[in-house]
Amino acid sequence: MNDLLIQHIGQLLLPKKTDRPLKGKELDELKIIEDGTVVVKDGRIIYAGPFTEDYEARQTIDATGKVVSPSLVDAHTHLVHGGSREHEMSLKRQGASYLEILEQGGGIHSTVRATREASEEELFRKSEYHLLTMMHHGVLAVESKSGYGLDKENELKQLRVSHALADKYKLDMKHTFLGPHAVPKGREGHAFLEEMIAILPDVKEYADFADIFCETGVFTIDESRYYMQKAKEAGFRVKIHADEIDPLGGLELAIEEDAISADHLVAASDRGKEMLKNSDTVAVLLPGTTFYLGKNDYADARGMLDNNGAIAVATDFNPGSCVTNNLQMVMAIAALKLKLTPNEIWNAVTVNAAKAIGLEAGTIDAGDKANLVIWHAPNHEYIPYHYGINHAEKVIKDGKVIVDRDLSIEV
């Protein structure tokens, strides 16, 4: 007997399973089946397609008028961190830039202090709440970065918390070491970078990827290249925070070093975007960050796709420059500001987001994990259209309903 049968699905979204990320025009290709059926047994998909009465199951869900999709993948988060920085909003309103706040001892430095002061248990409880919020919004695969310790003890503390969360909730989670996220006050940049390189063998037990913040006032292109090469020698796939503020050539560097992703890319050069066509490096775009920082210029998603590049969309959830863990909200910003089509958005937060963090996720094919979302929405365009709320009605993990949002109220 099968475990779960979802019948009469209004729209069943079936992103294409590939061995590489979807690129260029492929991102706008999304198979949509009306009046669909999904069948689950032993936590795996055994059928996903047009309506059929060929299957029975212990549990049947009628999804008439609903959308069913793969669960979402958030490919860039700073999930584990101490403290918060709501006091910086007044500085932003007065026109202070991100780098100016950083120079005043705020920004990352403020979060580093709070993260160092927090116990492992305190960090776990705080991060658990944020993770559960993500899951309630339909996310069942997450990339979680360190980067708020800036020393061996506290970077490892962040990564251990990240692993503890993944273990407790049995999530598809990837862990990224971002030791070179900022240069600590009073330290010289290259000497600090050497310190982060020296602990790569220690963090290898806990981290899947090594990342670096390549930006004016942080780490240069040459320093970033040196770090990425050392990280690869230590056995890591590499990532890079690149071209967020200034066009330093971080996207080009990512492609040259075969990074699995290059993230932010608001100021990416035309040459970098052109190089994407010959690369499987995924450009992970974070429009929620641009929105929160009050910037007018967003990453050139259309230019990247026109150059046959691969893009994904993620939250960049963090306490300073993008304080949301609602990927649905970011999907709306991607529609409005990145000018992405609904099909492109869905592929960017499922199959391509999974490719950006090296996961087999984001599809609903026979044999896949039955990680699904049933959306209270008439069609897939509605979810980024009606922004700022949670449309996830049921979240299904390994074939079991783990979130069931009953919005009825007794009066």
Side-chain angles (χ1 to χ4, degrees), residues 16 20-30 308 347:
K16 183 179 179 181
R20 59 165 180 78
L22 301 175
K23 301 179 69 174
K25 293 180 180 179
E26 294 176 329
L27 206 72
D28 201 26
E29 299 170 2
L30 179 63
N308 202 37
N347 281 322

Side-chain angles (χ1 to χ4, degrees), residues 189-252:
H190 192 76
F192 172 70
L193 190 62
E194 290 285 8
E195 182 180 312
M196 293 298 98
I197 290 169
I199 66 174
L200 285 170
D202 297 292
V203 301
K204 189 70 178 71
E205 178 182 352
Y206 301 101
D208 302 289
F209 306 110
D211 199 345
I212 186 169
F213 190 9
C214 178
E215 190 52 74
T216 301
V218 193
F219 296 101
T220 67
I221 285 288
D222 287 342
E223 288 171 330
S224 299
R225 179 184 293 108
Y226 174 66
Y227 172 79
M228 293 169 83
Q229 290 175 351
K230 289 294 186 182
K232 289 194 293 184
E233 289 173 10
F236 288 91
R237 286 296 304 271
V238 292
K239 291 174 163 283
I240 185 171
H241 282 54
D243 302 329
E244 179 180 1
I245 300 168
D246 292 324
L248 301 185
L251 178 54
E252 295 93 313

Side-chain angles (χ1 to χ4, degrees), residues 75-76 239 260-265 282-286 310-314 352-353 356:
H76 183 129
K239 291 174 163 283
I260 191 168
S261 76
D263 301 29
H264 284 292
L265 306 179
V282 180
V284 178
L285 308 183
L286 309 168
I311 71 167
V313 171
N352 265 25

Side-chain angles (χ1 to χ4, degrees), residues 51 83 119 128 134 175 181 198 214 282 307 316 319 375 396:
F51 173 77
S119 69
E128 181 180 37
M134 291 179 181
H175 316 274
H181 194 191
C214 178
V282 180
N307 277 290
D316 190 25
W375 303 93
I396 299 167

